[in-house]
Amino acid sequence: AKEDGRNQTCFYSAEYEQRLVERTRAERELRDALQESRLEVHYQAMYDASQRHVVGAEALVRLRSRDGQLVPPLTFIPLAEETGLIVPIGEYVLRKACLAAGKWCKQWPNFRISVNISAVQFAEPSLLKTVQAALDEGGLSPQQLELEITENTLMANVGAARELMQRFRALGIRLSIDDFGTGYSSLTYLRSFPAQTLKLDQAFVRGHLDDQGDLAIVRTIISLGQALGMELVAEGVETNDQASNLAGMGCQTLQGYLFSRPVPEGEFPG
Ligand code: C2E
Ligand code: CA
Ligand code: CA
Ligand code: CA
């Protein structure tokens, strides 16, 4: 039994070491990508549900590996958050996005750019200054920028979140609660957050035509948002049936492959 225990320890530490090596390699790759400007920001258009014209875009980061492959964010954002690299990465995305949006605001009236803010960035005192600098650099007015913050980020520290949100609102910057319905916030919390937009998670959007449970959630979120005077955005819209149903239920803004995929700046709106 003693020997077993020792072998086990051995086994685990070898596995642990391997994971550490892999993580170190991944972290180096991420740092290099940032340094070598191999991070790219792609943009997915958002459309007015009734007129079907462009009303804005969501900025979505990608990593270009050395061999030219495009690496999706979910494979490096968690590591970026753990290592703190999400702070410079997030700043890069904000600046790029505001510069791109400066041009699009001239092309489309009331255009707004939406940028994802991770929980780690949201806890950084420097975020406010970073956002202000990006706005100035892009020549954007504050109401043309919307920060997407997930329900879970907000619920991690409700008091601090509310306070920071109020400071962004005081500047005139728009706030969107992303992935709504996937967390556990109650109506009471939702009401206390000064956000203008509620973004329906794509899991519910995808399922709502054939799943009664998803449909019930979508209806509930829409009526919740309407009661609070919020704009409702549905993401992950892939079919015409989904689009017309969501529009009929009261979603003002639609985003998804049906209309456009995320594309490089030069190809926008795709
Ligand atoms: P998210 O904020 O929920 O972004 C929406 C995701 O849904 C994007 O995936 C988008 O490409 C995808 N999507 C849009 N329409 C459709 C559709 O019709 N069908 C399907 N199947 N998917 C659709 P993406 O770009 O891979 O990003 C994944 C997640 O990575 C984002 O989810 C967000 O949480 C995170 N992320 C992306 N860019 C950034 C960033 O700059 N900063 C931070 N902190 N997170 C980011
Ligand atoms: Ca988002
Ligand atoms: Ca989302
Ligand atoms: Ca999501």
Side-chain angles (χ1 to χ4, degrees):
K2 205 177 164 195
E3 207 176 67
D4 270 16
R6 205 167 49 227
N7 281 343
Q8 222 168 21
T9 310
C10 237
F11 172 73
Y12 280 126
S13 76
E15 191 183 76
Y16 176 74
E17 197 178 298
Q18 196 183 335
R19 250 191 290 141
L20 211 67
V21 168
E22 166 54 24
R23 201 192 123 104
T24 308
R25 193 204 57 76
E27 188 181 338
R28 156 115 1 97
E29 162 70 5
L30 195 53
R31 271 183 208 287
D32 288 351
L34 185 62
Q35 199 128 49
E36 296 163 11
S37 306
R38 284 188 285 105
L39 288 172
E40 293 181 15
V41 185
H42 287 199
Y43 301 89
Q44 185 177 33
M46 296 188 191
Y47 291 82
D48 177 88
S50 47
Q51 308 294 320
R52 304 283 175 104
H53 60 238
V54 174
V55 293
E58 177 174 8
L60 295 157
V61 71
R62 277 95 180 81
L63 191 154
R64 184 72 68 179
S65 70
R66 282 212 181 79
D67 57 18
Q69 302 275 49
L70 213 52
V71 181
L74 289 179
T75 64
F76 62 88
I77 293 278
L79 181 66
E81 288 179 328
E82 280 170 43
T83 54
L85 282 169
I86 192 66
V87 173
I89 290 174
E91 178 173 355
Y92 176 80
V93 173
L94 264 166
R95 293 180 55 196
K96 280 287 212 188
C98 287
L99 283 170
K103 292 177 293 178
W104 296 330
C105 286
K106 296 186 186 105
Q107 195 170 344
W108 291 284
N110 304 320
F111 186 92
R112 69 167 191 255
I113 185 78
S114 300
V115 180
N116 293 288
I117 302 294
S118 107
V120 177
Q121 286 172 278
F122 203 62
E124 274 286 312
S126 61
L127 182 64
L128 214 73
K129 273 190 179 158
T130 303
V131 167
Q132 187 64 63
L135 278 178
D136 293 344
E137 199 181 1
L140 285 193
S141 48
Q143 65 273 15
Q144 289 170 316
L145 174 65
E146 180 170 75
L147 304 179
E148 294 195 359
I149 306 156
T150 67
E151 180 186 3
N152 287 329
T153 295
L154 296 176
M155 292 307 291
N157 187 342
V158 172
R162 198 181 292 137
E163 201 172 306
L164 187 52
M165 290 174 95
Q166 276 154 0
R167 296 179 67 181
F168 280 116
R169 282 308 296 150
L171 293 175
I173 292 161
R174 295 180 56 97
L175 299 167
S176 172
I177 303 181
D178 201 0
D179 296 350
F180 192 74
T182 59
Y184 298 96
S185 58
S186 66
L187 175 58
T188 312
Y189 283 122
L190 181 62
R191 195 176 65 153
S192 77
F193 293 131
Q196 293 70 56
T197 304
L198 206 48
K199 214 162 171 182
L200 274 167
D201 192 73
Q202 55 181 286
F204 307 125
V205 170
R206 190 178 307 128
H208 86 278
L209 287 181
D210 4 76
D211 185 302
Q212 286 304 309
D214 285 345
L215 178 62
I217 290 171
V218 167
R219 279 193 201 287
T220 304
I221 293 174
I222 291 174
S223 61
L224 210 60
Q226 285 174 336
L228 297 174
M230 298 172 85
E231 173 183 341
L232 284 136
V233 179
E235 72 176 13
V237 180
E238 294 186 352
T239 69
N240 264 313
D241 284 351
Q242 289 170 348
S244 52
N245 211 44
L246 289 159
M249 287 191 288
C251 273
Q252 295 101 314
T253 309
L254 305 175
Q255 176 187 356
Y257 294 172
L258 173 66
F259 304 99
S260 298
R261 294 202 170 233
V263 290
E265 185 181 333
E267 292 167 30
F268 188 79

